[in-house]
Amino acid sequence: MDVSTCLKSLLLAIRQYRNNRSALNASQLQKHIEDVSGLKCGGVLFSGQVLPSECLSGLMEVAGDPNTSHALTGSIISLLAQFASDGEAKEALHSSYNFTGTLAAIIHCNRSTPEEPLVLQCLNVLQRLTYNVRTLHCASHIHELISFLMQHVQSSNDDIVKACLGLMANLCRHDISVQSHIKSQSNVKAFYRALINFLGHNCLTVVVFSLSILSSLTLNEEVGQKLFNAKNIHQTFQLIFNITVNGDGTLTRNYAVDLLVDLLKNPKIADYLTKYKHLSVCLSEVLGLLHSKDPDTASKVMELLVSLCSVPVLRKLVCETVLRPPAPRLQPGTRKGVQARGSEPSLALVHWVTSPLDGPEQCYMQALSLLAELFEEAIDSSLCSSAQSFVELLLQEMLVLLQSPDSTEGDQLLKKHCLRAGRVVDFLLVLCGDDALRMLVSQRLSPEVCVSQVELLLSYSQDLSGSTCTTSNYHLSQVCSEVVLKTLELMSHLRQQMPDMETSFYRILQDQRMVTPLSLALTSNCREQVQVALRILFEAAPLPDFPSVILGDSIAANNAYRQRDGESSIRSSSAGEDASFVGKSFPMVHPEPSGSAHQSIDSLIEKLQNGVELQKEVKDVHMSEIIDVYEQKLSALACKESRLQDLLEAKALALSQADRLIAQYRCQRAQAEAEARKLASLLKDTERKKEDLQTELNDHLLEVERLKSDSQQLLEHNSRLQAVADQHQELKGTYNQLLSRYDKSEGMLKELQAAHISLTQQAEGLRKTNEGLKLQQERTLAEVAEKEQQIKSLKTDVLEKERKIIGLQNDLRRHEEQIHEMEENISILRKELNKTEQARKDTSIKASSLELQKSQLEAKVEKMEEELSKHTQMIAMIHSLSSGKLKGDATANLSL
């Protein structure tokens, strides 16, 4: 069954269920919803046609009805949640069908039972739907949704807590009205305390959600300054980088990157990050993620790198790391099982830049933006020379992206090609800021590529102008015009190096289709577009066929259209405020959610435009609202009619200008014929003069030949002299080098000689001291020998005395026997004996004194020997030093 049949069956089931809310009709509707879920019909559902729009409006009405069963509501939400990841479908659900308000109404109706699976499903879908999308603060039930989230962040269910925090982070980010509403609540301090307590949670996703909410609400307040001060911010950086590099889930990594991107917008925190000591290691780890096969991860990493490039110091660090990568290092903090990431992030960028058009758009767009930032820094910091090989590889791959896609592949790929071509041209314009890189671009880029690119964009922009006037077509036409002007600016930069490029450049400038891009750019509110358009206009204005009158009429028409569009938008905004006031005053009059009435009115107008007969009367629509909508549509049609009238007037002026140009051409042709006849007569005169000058030319040629031979000889002589001069310069440089070496060697020699003289004097003094000590030692030894001889002689005297004493004792015994006989002689002998005793005592005293002198002399001899050994060691050391120094001097002299 095809998609249209399924949608018709679904619309019929929706109408039957609205007429009769029975269980049978509910089961039939749920069955048709499941059938549509199995089909890939996202492009048809959100194409803006009548049938898909009626189906979506009916599903929103059924889902927003409080009486609808939870199972049916859950199946509808599951069906629509499939398209929440697609960009255009997400935008349509958010803005055209108010899916956000419907989900908020469902949560509000079930606020008393937050544990219901339907509530968790709505929270999860809302989190996906509101990611990177700003929610209107005046949408239905947004205040109630915020109160519900603030109340249930402290729930016991972790899934509810995580969903509430993620949704709150989305709503708070870049939305001042939501932030002001939260700060005005009475329980905001308790909410802050709960968020601060979550910073210690074991789930990193909860921590990142809490930090994101706190940064949105309190970054510029006292609480935020305490939370993100210099002491705590480094832990926050480490946490964010760890989650970015090692995070298991894409969701947590995306929120961590968004948090760091938001923090970098604060100059103080950006300065803290430049002083973070682990920044280079973390940056290399983040760059390793570019080798991931997941496009979501790669695009988020590139978004982070582009944000880092907004800080000048970090931009230089990123540029040096990518374009001049360091040597491979150990990978700290990596998970188990993760292989070492590549060391060439530049090659990964080339891979994502050249990804196919039908792939993720954010990948190649972010990669091109990052390359433009890096090469702007490289050109400013003179890193281009080290990146030229990479630029050659990049140009070889990138110029393929400018080739026109196949027209049979559809408008969607053509739109993507226009967007990517704009970024590619931006990058090439950055490269043209350096002379060497501009030369590389001129060697690789051909004029045919630029011309075909401009032709494609001009024809596509003309097709968009002739098709239905929608907001997306208008924006896409502006993008095409901007890319055309950028391509022309690129051609203007390269026309000096490529003559064919200059011809093509001026030919395109005279094309009447250039009026639309120039008029749109000159009336734009973007300063860069106006400056580019003025530069192109400065080049194009002097050209004879440039349609300046048509350009002026187109600018005037655009200004008039802008003025009328502004007036109509003011009237429509006042009518929209009245309608929103009525919707807020009576929110529960009918089961249709807020915004569905406006959708029904749009579908009613589409039916009237397509000639479709209304089969059912639209209920619950006030007549005044219908009248306001008709007035808005009629005013828009009047504006379109006036714009078409202005364009017709511009075309009439163009035709009148063409007639004037034809008349001018005829006059110029007659003048040219008269000038041709004059030139013919002048030609005959010049022929005669030519013959006279030919003879003179031959004479001059002979003289020139002689001069050439002379100049050749002079050039040869000059070359010989130049060779001699070069040789003289080389010899002079060699002489200067040798002279400097000689001066250094002479200085070293003087220093060594002075050191040698001082050491020689020290050695001489030590030698003299040694000789004196030797003489003193010899005298001491002689005295010791004399003393020993005296001791020996004294010993012999003592022995003789002892022998005499023994003899005397023997005589004494004999005399005692003869005592009686020799009494007279006893006194005499006693006197002699006393004398002998006295002599013996004197002799023993002299012997003891001699022994004491001997021991003193022996101690003095030992001291002398110790001093002598010390002196001999000093002399040996002096000799060894003097011999080593002399050897060193000898070797130094030999080397010199």
Side-chain angles (χ1 to χ4, degrees), residues 425-426 428-429 432 454 482-495 501 505 509 514 528-529 531-533 535-536 539:
V425 174
D426 286 337
L428 295 177
L429 286 172
C432 290
V454 172
E482 184 180 352
V483 177
V484 167
L485 295 180
K486 287 180 179 178
T487 307
L488 287 173
E489 188 178 14
L490 177 64
M491 296 173 71
S492 175
H493 282 298
L494 299 176
R495 58 180 176 168
M501 185 72 79
F505 174 69
L509 288 181
M514 283 298 300
E528 294 179 356
Q529 292 185 25
Q531 290 175 354
V532 172
R535 287 195 291 268
I536 299 299
E539 296 287 343

Side-chain angles (χ1 to χ4, degrees), residues 192-372:
Y192 285 166
R193 284 195 295 270
L195 291 176
I196 293 172
N197 291 332
F198 280 135
L199 298 181
H201 202 274
N202 54 3
C203 180
L204 294 179
T205 307
V206 174
V207 176
V208 171
F209 287 162
S210 304
L211 280 173
S212 179
I213 298 169
L214 288 169
S215 66
S216 299
L217 296 176
T218 67
L219 188 58
N220 297 320
E221 297 181 358
E222 185 178 359
V223 178
Q225 292 175 1
K226 291 180 180 179
L227 188 61
F228 298 103
N229 58 9
K231 295 181 180 179
N232 300 328
I233 194 64
H234 293 287
Q235 298 178 1
T236 306
F237 290 151
Q238 188 63 47
L239 173 68
I240 293 173
F241 281 118
N242 286 339
I243 293 174
T244 304
V245 175
N246 301 321
D248 293 328
T250 307
L251 177 69
T252 310
R253 179 182 288 116
N254 290 347
Y255 279 88
V257 171
D258 292 339
L259 173 60
L260 187 54
V261 168
D262 294 340
L263 290 176
L264 283 175
K265 295 177 182 177
N266 189 305
K268 187 182 294 184
I269 295 180
D271 183 58
Y272 289 153
L273 184 58
T274 58
K275 300 174 183 177
Y276 181 50
K277 60 181 179 180
H278 303 300
L279 179 60
S280 58
V281 178
C282 294
L283 183 59
S284 62
E285 289 290 327
V286 169
L287 288 172
L289 293 175
L290 292 176
H291 299 274
S292 172
K293 296 182 180 180
D294 182 19
D296 295 332
T297 301
S299 63
K300 212 63 188 176
V301 168
M302 287 184 282
E303 181 184 350
L304 173 60
L305 295 174
V306 171
S307 178
L308 290 175
C309 289
S310 63
V311 183
V313 179
L314 302 181
R315 176 176 169 177
K316 184 176 182 181
L317 178 62
V318 174
C319 181
E320 291 178 351
T321 309
V322 174
L323 298 182
R324 193 169 57 196
R329 58 168 68 90
L330 295 177
Q331 306 292 331
T334 53
R335 294 173 297 173
K336 294 182 179 180
V338 177
Q339 58 184 2
R341 297 183 172 95
S343 60
E344 292 291 340
S346 54
L347 298 180
L349 284 177
V350 175
H351 167 71
W352 291 115
V353 164
T354 57
S355 57
L357 275 175
D358 53 357
E361 182 179 345
Q362 285 297 321
C363 280
Y364 52 77
M365 297 296 281
Q366 292 286 359
L368 288 168
S369 299
L370 178 59
L371 285 172

